[in-house]
Amino acid sequence: MSASNAKKQLLESFSRTTDEIFSLNEFEELIDSKKKIRIKYGVDVTSPYLHIGHAVNLWMMRELQDLGHKVVFLIGDFTTQIGDPTGRNNTRPIIPQSEIDKNAEEFIRQAKMVLRFDDPDLLEVRRNSEWFSKYQLSEFLKLLSMVTHSRLISRDMFQRRIKNQEDIYLHEMIYPILQGYDSYVLESDLTIIGSDQLFNEMLGRFYQQRFGQKPQVIITTKITQGIDGKAKQSKSLDNYIGLGHSSRDKFGRCMKVPDELILDYLKIYTKVPKEEIHMIEKEIVRDPMRWKKFLAEEIIKRYHDETSAKNEREWFENTFSKKITPKDIPVLEIGGSQWVAIDLVNKYFDNSKSSSEVRRLFKQGAVSVNGENISLFDASIEIMTGDVVKVGKRNWFKIKIVGN
RNA sequence: GGGGAGGUUCCCGAGUGGUCAAAGGGAACAGACUGUAAAUCUGUCGGCUCAGCCUUCGAAGGUUCGAAUCCUUCCCUCCCCA
């Protein structure tokens, strides 16, 4: 393939998930230069949960890795201690270093589902405490002297807060400066981010220029609403499909996506060709569920494999459509066959639920043994190996009586 | 430094001496319907040895037969002025 073809293909591929580029010209120049691109990937490891939205950026970086470029994976261990104010209205708790290390490890574990970590030529891990922990106040003041107050508060989030007469703490204003400075230290050529990071990374460009470096290209990526159809995906709203979720959970979560979002999800979170998506667009009204399952399979294929995708689909159809009790359910080993119903359920939940809550489940008709509803929590029941107990919509367990 | 407002059950938010385990909404859970979509209906939603009892309304004391509600002290948050 010719170089210009490769470039065309890359741009084409990127356009699918790109929101904005600063700037397209500079990006093309960068590709044309044949230089090995350094892609800064800065992460705040406050909460190490990557979802398929984050992965959009990772896949773009992976594509560049496959072309021989290098991701500089920057753990913002120093800045995490300050806490990025983005989208926050209260101060973050201070996180101890040990926690940061643990989170970083978990973060990497998930990022490995997409990025290549196996080749030091394609990825290096850095921490910004490397430079900030020994940073001199005098140097820092020099950094500050380059940026004006009005520039910092021009950020939309700060504007909003000013308008709402909310506080802006000084460390929050400093955060973008430090994040920007990272770009200079790492000699970043490119960074691929969510649009909420745009302001901070723009400061990166600014500092790079001031220090005589070529400013990094910034690509912001598209985001979708979460699986609840409301806000964007987030851990706290639990409306995300996480890389850390099992293939089964991924499937289930995909099935929760509102119909109207299926096409967007296909476009942004899978590699299904454009033409095919066009075709689906015409079909989808007729049978949205079919395409939702298709989406779920595609996502699982991407992070797991084809067999899992098929299996999870089958499991889902059997369990929820055909209402067949799944085979691979947990086994509860118990000592005898005579039980008071509530004790059995408590044992399954390992006493993690209060007994009031479990009683309610009984009262509400959520508990059954072999399909037979048990509504009295204090009912005496006789059970044997192989009996299946169901609690609520999604909890089953199988009895196994072990000798004593 | 001065003045003002406030801290209620997961969240928002009512409640100003008994009828308050605390309105209403959201989230969540269960049931019906169903495509683990949307919409809808019903119920639950502090704990327990559960028709009763115990612990909650920032914290600690106090007044009272009785306090989320009144008093005192303390802690915290927010707003305005300087």
Side-chain angles (χ1 to χ4, degrees):
Chain A
M1 185 178 352
S2 73
S4 75
N5 257 346
K7 175 179 152 194
K8 212 176 137 193
Q9 201 180 327
L10 181 73
L11 290 175
E12 168 79 29
S13 164
F14 269 33
S15 72
R16 182 160 164 167
T17 48
T18 295
D19 186 29
E20 291 185 281
I21 301 190
F22 305 86
S23 63
L24 182 58
N25 278 346
E26 288 174 44
F27 185 48
E28 290 193 40
E29 259 172 49
L30 195 60
I31 299 169
D32 291 338
S33 73
K34 299 282 189 301
K35 145 181 213 293
K36 181 168 174 175
I37 300 173
R38 287 173 67 80
I39 307 138
K40 169 184 153 188
Y41 177 42
V43 302
D44 177 323
V45 293
T46 313
S47 157
Y49 296 96
L50 287 171
H51 55 62
I52 56 173
H54 299 119
V56 165
N57 305 3
L58 297 179
W59 284 113
M60 290 167 87
M61 289 184 240
R62 171 60 192 263
E63 208 168 328
L64 291 165
Q65 278 188 317
D66 289 342
L67 294 170
H69 301 298
K70 183 177 202 171
V71 171
V72 183
F73 188 100
L74 174 65
I75 296 167
D77 62 341
F78 190 87
T79 35
T80 292
Q81 288 170 30
I82 302 178
D84 180 5
T86 301
R88 291 223 144 214
N89 37 25
N90 33 32
T91 316
R92 278 191 174 161
I94 306 278
I95 303 170
Q97 185 66 44
S98 61
E99 185 92 353
I100 290 176
D101 291 343
K102 214 177 87 202
N103 289 353
E105 213 171 283
E106 175 59 25
F107 199 103
I108 288 172
R109 199 181 67 76
Q110 292 176 30
K112 273 184 178 162
M113 294 179 92
V114 180
L115 289 180
R116 286 188 59 180
F117 276 74
D118 56 334
D119 182 346
D121 264 356
L122 298 180
L123 186 136
E124 68 176 272
V125 178
R126 303 287 295 273
R127 294 168 172 259
N128 63 8
S129 58
E130 283 172 39
W131 47 94
F132 284 133
S133 63
K134 48 179 188 245
Y135 204 55
Q136 291 295 316
L137 183 58
S138 55
E139 289 177 77
F140 178 55
L141 289 173
K142 200 170 117 198
L143 273 193
L144 290 186
S145 72
M146 293 177 184
V147 179
T148 63
H149 170 255
S150 67
R151 183 191 181 99
L152 285 181
I153 63 162
S154 70
R155 187 178 185 182
D156 56 351
M157 180 206 44
F158 288 148
Q159 284 301 313
R160 205 174 315 128
R161 289 217 212 158
I162 289 167
K163 205 173 136 214
N164 296 338
Q165 300 194 314
E166 286 163 358
D167 283 332
I168 299 169
Y169 285 88
L170 282 180
H171 71 278
E172 301 184 282
M173 304 196 66
I174 300 304
Y175 193 93
I177 292 177
L178 299 183
Q179 188 172 331
Y181 186 73
D182 287 339
S183 294
Y184 162 70
V185 176
L186 295 176
E187 301 179 49
S188 165
D189 297 311
L190 167 68
T191 189
I192 301 174
I193 54 169
S195 53
D196 57 339
Q197 295 295 314
L198 180 60
F199 180 87
N200 298 359
E201 292 301 334
M202 278 294 189
L203 269 171
R205 278 172 69 91
F206 172 77
Y207 277 118
Q208 285 177 303
Q209 270 172 311
R210 289 300 293 262
F211 291 119
Q213 224 176 62
K214 200 159 191 213
Q216 61 183 356
V217 172
I218 301 174
I219 297 181
T220 64
T221 51
K222 286 186 177 153
I223 57 171
T224 66
Q225 290 159 309
I227 60 174
D228 58 355
K230 292 173 194 155
K232 65 179 184 179
Q233 297 185 67
S234 76
K235 170 87 167 56
S236 55
L237 294 175
D238 196 27
N239 65 346
Y240 68 109
I241 299 170
L243 299 196
H245 283 132
S246 66
S247 54
R248 181 153 304 164
D249 283 344
K250 285 194 184 83
F251 201 101
R253 280 169 184 257
C254 280
M255 294 310 285
K256 283 196 160 181
V257 171
D259 291 354
E260 312 79 66
L261 252 43
I262 297 173
L263 287 169
D264 282 347
Y265 268 53
L266 278 173
K267 192 170 159 207
I268 293 173
Y269 301 134
T270 74
K271 288 293 271 180
V272 175
K274 257 198 303 203
E275 302 72 41
E276 205 175 332
I277 293 180
H278 277 305
M279 194 272 288
I280 295 168
E281 199 167 357
K282 288 177 207 142
E283 294 281 314
I284 198 163
V285 202
R286 220 173 304 153
D287 190 0
M289 191 169 62
R290 174 180 168 200
W291 298 108
K292 202 177 284 182
K293 286 177 185 166
F294 173 76
L295 167 70
E297 276 194 83
E298 286 300 316
I299 285 178
I300 292 166
K301 269 189 221 167
R302 201 172 197 192
Y303 297 99
H304 302 271
D305 54 71
E306 193 138 6
T307 318
S308 316
K310 214 171 278 169
N311 289 346
E312 295 311 343
R313 181 201 183 102
E314 207 170 299
W315 190 89
F316 179 88
E317 288 173 344
N318 282 336
T319 306
F320 295 111
S321 307
K322 298 182 191 155
K323 305 228 186 294
I324 300 172
T325 303
K327 292 195 182 68
D328 49 350
I329 55 178
V331 172
L332 185 71
E333 297 196 348
I334 53 175
S337 60
Q338 289 296 331
W339 283 79
V340 175
I342 192 170
D343 293 340
L344 192 63
V345 175
N346 272 332
K347 189 165 168 63
Y348 168 68
F349 286 119
D350 204 14
N351 294 314
S352 62
K353 290 187 188 294
S354 71
S355 71
S356 300
E357 191 177 351
V358 177
R359 273 173 201 234
R360 261 176 243 133
L361 289 169
F362 276 95
K363 261 184 227 159
Q364 295 179 137
V367 183
S368 66
V369 177
N370 295 331
E372 194 179 324
N373 191 271
I374 310 275
S375 56
L376 295 173
F377 66 88
D378 54 357
S380 262
I381 53 172
E382 182 164 4
I383 45 169
M384 45 198 263
T385 297
D387 284 352
V388 172
V389 183
K390 186 179 184 203
V391 184
K393 289 186 179 106
R394 282 170 241 178
N395 293 296
W396 299 264
F397 61 92
K398 199 180 279 181
I399 300 296
K400 183 175 180 189
I401 296 179
V402 293
N404 41 346

